[in-house]
Amino acid sequence: MENNKKWNLRNIAAIAVTVAFFAFQMYIALIKQFPPMLQSPLHLIFALTLVYVYFPADYNYRKKIRKAAEAAGTAPDPAVMKKRAWTNWLDLPAFVGIGYMLWYVLTQNERLTDFVIGISDVYIMDYIGMVVTILLLMMAVYRTLGLTLAVFITVFIVYAWVSPYLPGIFYTKPKSSMLKFLNQFTAGMTMTESGVFGTPLFTSASTLFYFIVFGSFFSTIGGGQLLIDMGMKVSNKSSGGPAKAAVLSSGLMGMISGSAVANVATTGVMTIPMMKKIGYEPEEAGAVEAVASTGGQIMPPIMGVGAFIMAEMLGVNYMKIAVAAIIPAIAYYFAVFVLVDRVAAKRAANIDGTVDASIRVDRKILPRLYLLLPAVLLVVWIIRGASLMRAGMIGIFACIACNVINYFVNKEDFIDLKGLGACCIDGAKQAASIAIPTAACGIIINVVTGQTSLATNLSNLISALGTSNLFLALLIAMVGCMILGMALPTVAAYLVGVILFVPCIRPILLAGGMADFTSNLCANMFVFYYGIMAQITPPVCVASYTAAGIADANAMKTGLKGFTYAMVGFLVPFVFVYNPPILLEGTLVEIVIATAQLALGTYFLAVMVAGFFKCNMNKFERTLLFVAALCLIAPEMISSIIGAVLGIVILFLNMGRAKKTVAGGVNA
């Protein structure tokens, strides 16, 4: 009874904080925004409160018990689940700390707004505020994202203090006194816009919240299911139809959700069983879904969370980022589509594209097309130059309007007030889960750029290695971003990659004659892509593991196969660095030529991975086709011509061999 009362109190608190959180975000969207040093801290305070309400002290313990029970095929033991319930009392100091943060931010806002590092005074209350904020944030990171990111950030905090005693690139010139460094650390972390309350968190408050809530509303009112049904309807009559449905559905859904794991969980539960049903091996089905879902983070118009932060970091309209990403995103999905088509042709005897009646799309598409109106309005307002906050709000209101229409013409998708309330709670919970890592990454950014000279030292090192060899510098950055992406959420991997590797790549691009903005865009997109590709890179490939769970497949085999299927995604960033017209940075003729080169190279690469064009390809043919693809991807015209000729010759030879095989079979 006492336990039920406790959880009821948590539920009441969750609803109350969610209402307050929404009221705050609606106020800054519809009435007026607050100064950054008030708006960002308040956003974080709401997010922290929700995290501590939804993720109590024993949350990870209970999650572990549930997973163990699921693996054993049994129900969790209630007595074992309650074993650490007493630890939830440890949340009381956390709520007291959040109260202190709120008091500190409200009473000291005027001083914080005008604060200047090295000139303004730092008081005891500032030290306390810094310690409380970092401790609460680190614990929230652990509860929502696990131990890895929490340890990663802790290493950087420790590094800030010990860097004067380390050798090589890790060395930083010490301050004149420990007090001076403490003042600088405190001011940089929580008293200015360069640390926890920096650009990433401000973007979460002013942009990401609204798009996350929009995605929640859009899926709830039936828009997400409509996109899935559209993908299935278009593809389910062709060879390998369910696999193509997975590609199309995940791509369409990815435009809205921008989350690889969410895409897998949403579309995979339908497409993976369909693929298995018509003959795909479990690992193949899981890999196709994981690769298709991961591409959603690079697919305009919404893309992944990092894209919004990139726009803020570059100081440009988000539409500039979305437009630049169009050709690479289409190339990615074109490659995956060609791949599944050739795999289906390769195994035509087993994969015939037929779909069981129980999993066909029975609901009509046309009467539900109005559900796409919120997404259309969102894009239109972004194109018109409206702020992302305003565009997101318009999308949310449009979702509510479509839900009213559902009541009259489509009751199956209608959501009542209780359902809309649950949708708001879910959206606020997701927004809080995004605000935590974005704020935590502010710690790393400040350590690397403000407290130490690591960014400069690393930039100098890579620049020295890559001054005459851009490829080597890009290779180092790629490996670094992939490692970060394996350990961190996408947004965190992008932010850390921007700080560590963009300053290393840009000078080399500028030295090569690339324009200032183009070099900045290319470098940021390069880091962004590889942070995302880590989602399907073994050994830590979250999207692949999620798909493997649905497919009942071997997780590592699924990850390795997904890594192979996504090969184009790993090469495209090199393409647009060496050939910026791919990002629509150039003349119309340059863009058309670069796009044609990429399209043909992508086709060759996808066929090579499938190992089948009109008949099975031997190792020699596949090797030559891979060389042809690389020649086309290179920006020089002569190499592109050689690649095009070589690739076409290989395909014609394969086609001829297939005809001879068929003729031989007929004659026999």
Side-chain angles (χ1 to χ4, degrees):
M1 184 71 179
E2 183 180 348
N3 191 52
N4 289 336
K5 182 179 179 181
K6 178 186 69 176
W7 281 107
N8 286 337
L9 288 175
R10 281 192 179 273
N11 291 336
I12 293 171
I15 293 172
V17 175
T18 298
V19 171
F21 197 7
F22 262 84
F24 167 73
Q25 294 290 157
M26 293 303 107
Y27 182 87
I28 64 176
L30 301 176
I31 300 178
K32 70 173 183 178
Q33 294 195 53
F34 295 115
M37 280 307 293
L38 179 60
Q39 183 167 304
S40 295
L42 288 177
H43 180 76
L44 179 60
I45 287 169
F46 279 119
L48 284 171
T49 307
L50 281 179
V51 165
Y52 280 97
V53 168
Y54 282 114
F55 302 88
D58 68 338
Y59 174 80
N60 284 327
Y61 169 78
R62 289 186 289 108
K63 183 179 179 181
K64 182 179 178 181
I65 297 300
R66 278 196 299 269
K67 283 189 174 181
E70 288 175 7
T74 60
D77 186 344
V80 176
M81 290 285 284
K82 297 177 183 177
K83 190 174 181 180
R84 295 190 185 176
W86 63 270
T87 60
N88 291 332
W89 288 101
L90 299 176
D91 288 343
L92 289 179
F95 290 118
V96 172
I98 292 173
Y100 180 86
M101 283 181 62
L102 181 61
W103 170 84
Y104 174 76
V105 166
L106 294 177
T107 60
Q108 304 300 310
N109 178 251
E110 185 175 346
R111 186 169 67 90
L112 294 176
T113 300
D114 299 328
F115 188 89
V116 179
I117 297 179
I119 297 177
S120 303
D121 293 328
V122 180
Y123 303 119
I124 296 294
M125 70 173 69
D126 300 321
Y127 300 143
I128 296 173
M130 179 270 293
V131 172
V132 168
T133 299
I134 291 180
L135 286 178
L136 289 174
L137 190 54
M138 294 295 290
M139 185 55 68
V141 166
Y142 168 68
R143 294 189 185 188
T144 56
L145 298 167
L147 191 60
T148 302
L149 182 56
V151 171
F152 191 78
I153 296 170
T154 302
V155 169
F156 274 87
I157 293 174
V158 173
Y159 168 69
W161 291 86
V162 303
S163 59
Y165 311 105
L166 298 177
I169 64 170
F170 299 106
Y171 171 79
T172 297
K173 185 178 179 180
K175 299 293 182 292
S176 57
S177 69
M178 186 60 71
L179 179 61
K180 185 174 181 180
F181 179 75
L182 176 61
N183 287 346
Q184 177 181 309
F185 186 86
T186 302
M189 285 296 170
T190 55
M191 300 183 71
T192 63
E193 298 173 42
S194 60
V196 172
F197 305 129
T199 298
L201 183 61
F202 183 77
T203 305
S204 176
S206 61
T207 300
L208 301 183
F209 177 92
Y210 304 98
F211 279 79
I212 291 168
V213 172
F214 165 75
S216 179
F217 271 80
F218 184 78
S219 296
T220 302
I221 66 167
Q225 186 61 49
L226 173 62
L227 293 178
I228 295 172
D229 290 349
M230 288 172 64
M232 293 171 61
K233 196 78 170 179
V234 169
S235 303
N236 64 9
K237 293 183 180 179
S238 63
S239 176
K244 294 176 183 176
V247 175
L248 290 176
S249 299
S250 297
L252 292 170
M253 192 64 188
M255 293 180 186
I256 305 301
S257 73
S259 169
V261 175
N263 283 359
V264 171
T266 303
T267 61
V269 293
M270 300 182 66
T271 58
I272 288 175
M274 289 165 56
M275 284 186 271
K276 290 175 64 179
K277 197 176 188 74
I278 63 166
Y280 278 87
E281 295 177 359
E283 287 77 15
E284 288 179 331
V288 169
E289 179 59 44
V291 172
S293 293
T294 298
Q297 295 182 83
I298 60 174
M299 176 59 76
I302 294 181
M303 304 173 65
V305 171
F308 294 103
I309 297 177
M310 188 193 305
E312 293 290 334
M313 302 282 275
L314 294 178
V316 299
N317 187 296
Y318 169 75
M319 204 59 203
K320 179 73 175 176
I321 304 297
V323 169
I326 288 175
I327 294 176
I330 292 175
Y332 179 90
Y333 275 103
F334 173 65
V336 180
F337 199 85
V338 171
L339 175 68
V340 298
D341 179 72
R342 292 299 85 199
V343 169
K346 184 178 183 179
R347 302 176 58 203
N350 296 321
I351 302 179
D352 59 10
T354 59
V355 183
D356 186 88
S358 63
I359 51 176
R360 290 183 184 275
V361 180
D362 294 324
R363 298 183 63 191
K364 293 182 179 180
I365 301 293
L366 193 59
R368 292 184 287 154
L369 283 180
Y370 68 90
L371 292 173
L372 296 180
L373 184 62
V376 172
L377 288 175
L378 182 84
V379 175
V380 168
W381 250 257
I382 292 176
I383 293 174
R384 290 181 59 185
S387 69
L388 294 176
M389 179 187 291
R390 182 60 56 86
M393 286 297 301
I394 288 171
I396 293 170
F397 289 144
C399 286
I400 296 173
C402 284
N403 190 54
V404 173
I405 297 175
N406 281 345
Y407 178 79
F408 295 101
V409 301
N410 181 22
K411 288 196 183 286
E412 187 172 344
D413 288 322
F414 174 71
I415 306 299
D416 58 17
L417 289 178
K418 184 178 179 180
L420 289 176
C423 185
C424 289
I425 291 175
D426 181 63
K429 187 178 178 181
Q430 290 184 48
S433 297
I434 292 295
I436 297 304
T438 54
C441 285
I443 296 175
I444 300 175
I445 292 172
N446 188 254
V447 168
V448 171
T449 61
Q451 308 297 335
T452 70
S453 56
L454 179 61
T456 303
N457 295 345
L458 186 61
S459 177
N460 292 338
L461 175 64
I462 296 180
S463 296
L465 291 172
T467 298
S468 58
N469 190 343
L470 174 61
F471 179 77
L472 179 59
L474 292 174
L475 197 62
I476 294 171
M478 178 195 76
V479 173
C481 290
M482 297 276 289
I483 292 173
L484 289 172
M486 291 179 192
L488 307 176
T490 302
V491 62
Y494 167 69
L495 287 170
V496 178
V498 164
I499 300 305
L500 292 179
F501 300 114
V502 167
C504 310
I505 300 172
R506 276 199 71 201
I508 303 173
L509 296 178
L510 289 170
M514 191 177 289
D516 182 64
F517 173 75
T518 304
S519 67
N520 206 2
L521 177 64
C522 287
N524 272 267
M525 288 288 280
F526 186 91
V527 169
F528 179 60
Y529 259 69
Y530 281 114
I532 290 172
M533 288 298 107
Q535 299 280 308
I536 45 176
T537 303
V540 184
C541 36
V542 182
S544 296
Y545 289 169
T546 304
I550 297 173
D552 195 22
N554 181 283
M556 187 53 65
K557 288 182 180 179
T558 304
L560 289 171
K561 197 167 285 289
F563 178 79
T564 305
Y565 286 178
M567 188 174 291
V568 167
F570 291 97
L571 292 179
V572 163
F574 283 89
V575 176
F576 58 62
V577 168
Y578 282 103
N579 205 358
I582 294 297
L583 298 180
L584 303 183
E585 291 294 314
T587 65
L588 180 61
V589 174
E590 290 173 336
I591 292 171
V592 170
I593 292 175
T595 302
Q597 291 172 324
L598 179 61
L600 194 56
T602 295
Y603 187 84
F604 289 164
L605 199 59
V607 172
M608 183 277 298
V609 172
F612 185 93
F613 179 55
K614 295 300 181 181
C615 66
N616 286 328
M617 307 184 78
N618 56 44
K619 291 182 179 179
F620 182 69
E621 288 176 324
R622 294 178 75 175
T623 301
L624 289 180
L625 203 57
F626 181 69
V627 172
L630 292 182
C631 288
L632 273 161
I633 286 173
E636 290 79 10
M637 184 57 67
I638 183 64
S639 67
S640 297
I641 294 173
I642 293 172
V645 172
L646 178 61
I648 291 172
V649 168
I650 294 298
L651 295 185
F652 267 106
L653 289 175
N654 184 267
M655 187 185 302
R657 191 153 54 84
K659 288 181 178 179
K660 288 181 180 179
T661 302
V662 172
V666 171
N667 293 332

